[in-house]
Amino acid sequence: MSLRNILLTGLVAAGAYGQSRPYNGYQEKQFSQNFYDSYNPIKHMGGIGPYSDRVGYGIDPNPPASCAVDQVIMVMRHGERYPDGTTAAKNQAALSKVYASKITTWAGDLAFLNDWTYYNPNQGLLDQETFSGPYSGLLDAFKRGSEYGYKYGHLWGGQSTVPIFAGGYERVVETARYFGMGFFGYNYSTSAAINIISENYTQGANSLTPTCLADTGLLACFYTVRTLPQFAVAAARLNAQNPGLNLNSTDIPSLMAVGTFELQTRPYSPWINAFTLDEWVAFGYIQDLSYYYCSGPGDPYQIAVGQVFANASLALMEAGPSHLPMSWNFAHDAYITPIVAALGLDRPSTPLPNNSVPFPNPYNSADIVPMGGHLVLERLSCNATASSAAGTYVRAVINEAVVPWPTCQSGPGFSCPFANFTTIVNNIPNFVSTCGVAKAGYPQYLDFWWKYNTTQTLNYQNGSIGYDETYTLSK
Ligand SMILES: *[C@@H]1O[C@H](CO)[C@@H](O)[C@H](O)[C@H]1NC(C)=O
Ligand SMILES: *[C@@H]1O[C@H](CO)[C@@H](O)[C@H](O)[C@H]1NC(C)=O
Ligand SMILES: *[C@@H]1O[C@H](CO)[C@@H](O)[C@H](O)[C@H]1NC(C)=O
Ligand SMILES: *[C@@H]1O[C@H](CO)[C@@H](O)[C@H](O)[C@H]1NC(C)=O
Ligand SMILES: *[C@@H]1O[C@H](CO)[C@@H](O)[C@H](O)[C@H]1NC(C)=O
Ligand SMILES: *[C@@H]1O[C@H](CO)[C@@H](O)[C@H](O)[C@H]1NC(C)=O
Ligand SMILES: *[C@@H]1O[C@H](CO)[C@@H](O)[C@H](O)[C@H]1NC(C)=O
Ligand SMILES: *[C@@H]1O[C@H](CO)[C@@H](O)[C@H](O)[C@H]1NC(C)=O
Ligand SMILES: *[C@@H]1O[C@H](CO)[C@@H](O)[C@H](O)[C@H]1NC(C)=O
């Protein structure tokens, strides 16, 4: 017997090895009484921080005891990424202002600048997924795929080709591919079929990124600059610590964003610690306002945008697993918040205030669409219990937390009976009529879950991803 085996045998005999270890009620609690995650700046980075699971309501994400998931529909945002050109230009302008002060020895909260270097040596990577460090976007996608392969793999009989749907944007497509590699492992090259759905507005409703032509104020809404007093406080503090520095309140969120993006390529960003929790809360809230008013519950046109996916999900659940047991979809943040709003989830009872920061915040975008954020709809097939009938139920899982419908949770594990889910979806304002799609002559419903490609021609990136070293920043 080898030394290793002797050691293992000894451990097993002592009841100290793996599964065979008995529950020791004297030394251990069955459930921890501690929740140490209350302080975490990642929860206050809005949509531009790394992924984090949503803080849930204590509902087991495994199916309730009487139920099994028989169909799953997911829409996931691309993973962690480099900033887009506009954001990068703002961030780099703020950094240039810092360095233009000609300070030679940094002090206080900015002391780290004495040896810090910028995280992105190459503008050609702007807009793309990140691939280094523990918060890497490609890693996030692969890991999600592996975890879901374990969680939902039973839905794949192994017999047919499984489509994976991605909006036609490079980082979205890469996220879908890495998810697929994680989910299918060695079977990816033969059993998955990447389908790329154009993000062009001419797709009408047949899209993962539907455009509401009638929502003419949308772009202006997104770029409404809202500022909060916390940023002036931060600027004053950093300037006082470093005489000669002349930051103002608009520079601060740009510098904070340097930190959130640095964290997507490196394990650690000293910028995060340079700001206080109040400042991070304000930083996150500015984004919450944009999501709420420009692509969420505060914009009726965008609720209609969310109707497309909600209605298609209902139709797919009606068709059932025999048509398509799994529907994996990849898009962007601003197309997921409308779906959540349309489904009647995360809808604060009063509109968000523009000039103050409610805390706790009823609409935290970091809980809905961080990088890699995802909404999963599970169709549950349940046996009868003492309190619920046998039948079909639906659950929503957002970033791994079960989020019950406020008005529909009578099923097992706070799920919603299918008939009631049908009512919820059928009452969402209609995209085609609200957004003027029929008049424009574009497709009027989502079709690609029924008519998809089963070839592998798009499964792998071949050649350049559009990486452009000569990329110049727009101001
Ligand atoms: C429901 O009941 C059937 C028949 O007893 C059983 O085969 C099945 O495993 C049950 N499903 C669940 C999720 O418990
Ligand atoms: C999945 O991969 C395994 C190992 O290569 C293979 O035996 C199996 O046939 C594959 N399944 C399908 C459906 O291609
Ligand atoms: C389906 O395949 C055809 C032929 O390869 C291609 O032109 C088309 O873009 C594909 N559609 C999708 C949704 O991937
Ligand atoms: C969208 O499609 C229209 C019509 O085919 C085309 O003219 C336009 O260039 C496309 N837009 C983009 C961004 O590809
Ligand atoms: C802060 O300074 C920048 C130039 O460095 C300027 O564009 C911006 O308007 C200033 N913001 C405020 C609030 O003064
Ligand atoms: C809902 O989706 C189904 C299936 O795609 C489609 O036939 C129907 O027209 C859609 N209804 C609405 C109101 O969007
Ligand atoms: C907040 O500002 C938006 C415009 O960006 C506006 O539509 C909304 O009514 C304002 N909300 C409140 C509560 O003032
Ligand atoms: C759920 O649907 C049933 C009939 O299918 C109805 O009686 C009940 O009122 C509905 N409940 C809710 C909360 O919509
Ligand atoms: C990659 O693309 C090149 C030309 O664009 C082609 O010759 C080559 O066969 C492709 N390789 C794969 C693996 O598809």
Side-chain angles (χ1 to χ4, degrees):
M1 201 183 242
S2 70
L3 177 61
R4 182 172 173 276
N5 280 348
I6 292 168
L7 285 173
L8 287 181
T9 311
L11 284 170
V12 172
Y17 188 65
Q19 296 291 320
S20 66
R21 189 161 112 176
Y23 170 64
N24 183 335
Y26 175 66
Q27 288 175 339
E28 290 180 6
K29 295 169 182 166
Q30 187 176 5
F31 300 108
S32 164
Q33 291 177 286
N34 303 112
F35 293 86
Y36 289 122
D37 61 352
S38 301
Y39 173 72
N40 190 336
I42 288 182
K43 282 289 171 215
H44 308 294
M45 293 181 182
I48 60 169
Y51 176 78
S52 66
D53 282 345
R54 179 172 172 134
V55 178
Y57 303 97
I59 303 173
D60 191 345
N62 294 306
S66 59
C67 307
V69 175
D70 71 5
Q71 195 179 33
V72 63
I73 301 171
M74 177 185 81
V75 58
M76 176 169 167
R77 186 187 184 193
H78 56 75
E80 289 73 358
R81 60 167 170 84
Y82 289 94
D84 59 82
T86 309
T87 305
K90 280 192 205 158
N91 298 353
Q92 289 178 218
L95 274 179
S96 301
K97 195 165 166 181
V98 166
Y99 289 121
S101 67
K102 302 266 193 288
I103 291 171
T104 49
T105 306
W106 293 94
D109 295 321
L110 296 182
F112 69 88
L113 282 176
N114 292 318
D115 50 25
W116 183 78
T117 53
Y118 189 50
Y119 66 89
N120 178 12
N122 207 318
Q123 306 289 8
L125 292 169
L126 294 179
D127 260 325
Q128 305 292 0
E129 291 283 286
T130 59
F131 47 81
S132 65
Y135 301 105
S136 138
L138 294 182
L139 175 64
D140 183 4
F142 186 87
K143 188 164 169 284
R144 182 71 47 216
S146 303
E147 287 175 1
Y148 277 16
Y150 177 70
K151 186 172 185 182
Y152 298 113
H154 66 281
L155 296 177
W156 182 47
Q159 64 286 59
S160 59
T161 310
V162 179
I164 297 178
F165 305 98
Y169 205 95
E170 191 66 50
R171 63 176 179 251
V172 174
V173 175
E174 290 305 331
T175 302
R177 288 174 175 149
Y178 276 74
F179 175 91
M181 288 183 239
F183 191 101
F184 292 100
Y186 300 116
N187 290 107
Y188 175 74
S189 61
T190 47
S191 296
I194 294 284
N195 281 240
I196 298 179
I197 313 302
S198 166
E199 296 190 346
N200 199 317
Y201 62 91
T202 54
Q203 290 282 123
N206 196 22
S207 175
L208 290 168
T209 56
T211 299
C212 188
L213 301 167
D215 196 359
T216 50
L218 188 61
L219 273 185
C221 180
F222 258 106
Y223 292 107
T224 303
V225 179
R226 296 180 179 92
T227 191
L228 289 165
Q230 286 82 348
F231 302 139
V233 171
R237 181 179 68 253
L238 300 179
N239 291 344
Q241 291 170 346
N242 293 280
L245 189 61
N246 189 24
L247 297 175
N248 66 30
S249 59
T250 19
D251 301 322
I252 295 301
S254 296
L255 293 174
M256 296 174 89
V258 171
T260 72
F261 283 108
E262 177 173 31
L263 209 51
Q264 298 175 52
T265 62
R266 289 177 173 167
Y268 184 89
S269 172
W271 284 103
I272 314 288
N273 298 340
F275 301 99
T276 66
L277 181 65
D278 289 36
E279 289 151 14
W280 281 113
V281 168
F283 179 83
Y285 188 63
I286 294 228
Q287 295 175 64
D288 301 337
L289 285 170
S290 277
Y291 285 110
Y292 180 91
Y293 285 111
C294 315
S295 64
D299 182 345
Y301 291 113
Q302 292 301 311
I303 293 176
V305 164
Q307 185 258 350
V308 173
F309 191 91
N311 174 63
S313 298
L314 173 62
L316 194 64
M317 287 184 193
E318 276 166 350
S322 61
H323 169 60
L324 193 62
M326 310 186 284
S327 174
W328 307 115
N329 302 273
F330 296 83
H332 305 263
D333 51 350
Y335 298 94
I336 298 174
T337 44
I339 301 168
V340 173
L343 288 171
L345 302 170
D346 285 324
R347 296 186 72 156
S349 51
T350 54
L352 296 189
N354 286 317
N355 301 315
S356 60
V357 182
F359 196 84
N361 175 354
Y363 192 81
N364 184 0
S365 52
D367 261 345
I368 310 172
V369 282
M371 299 296 178
H374 49 284
L375 162 71
V376 170
L377 295 173
E378 293 178 341
R379 196 184 102 140
L380 300 172
S381 162
C382 302
N383 288 331
T385 67
S387 57
S388 56
T392 303
Y393 295 82
V394 180
R395 290 204 309 186
V397 185
I398 301 179
N399 301 330
E400 305 307 294
V402 176
V403 180
W405 274 273
T407 55
C408 188
Q409 46 182 250
S410 60
F414 298 90
S415 61
C416 178
F418 190 69
N420 299 97
F421 175 75
T422 304
T423 309
I424 290 172
V425 173
N426 286 337
N427 283 331
I428 305 170
N430 181 282
F431 171 74
V432 169
S433 53
T434 308
C435 293
V437 172
K439 206 166 55 184
Y442 301 141
Q444 298 187 25
Y445 54 91
L446 191 156
D447 205 17
F448 51 81
W449 287 351
W450 284 266
K451 296 178 183 157
Y452 48 80
N453 285 348
T454 54
T455 59
Q456 279 70 42
T457 46
L458 299 173
N459 280 25
Y460 295 94
Q461 173 59 34
N462 178 10
S464 169
I465 52 167
Y467 172 94
D468 176 8
E469 283 197 65
T470 63
Y471 198 107
T472 45
L473 292 175
S474 53
K475 272 270 160 63

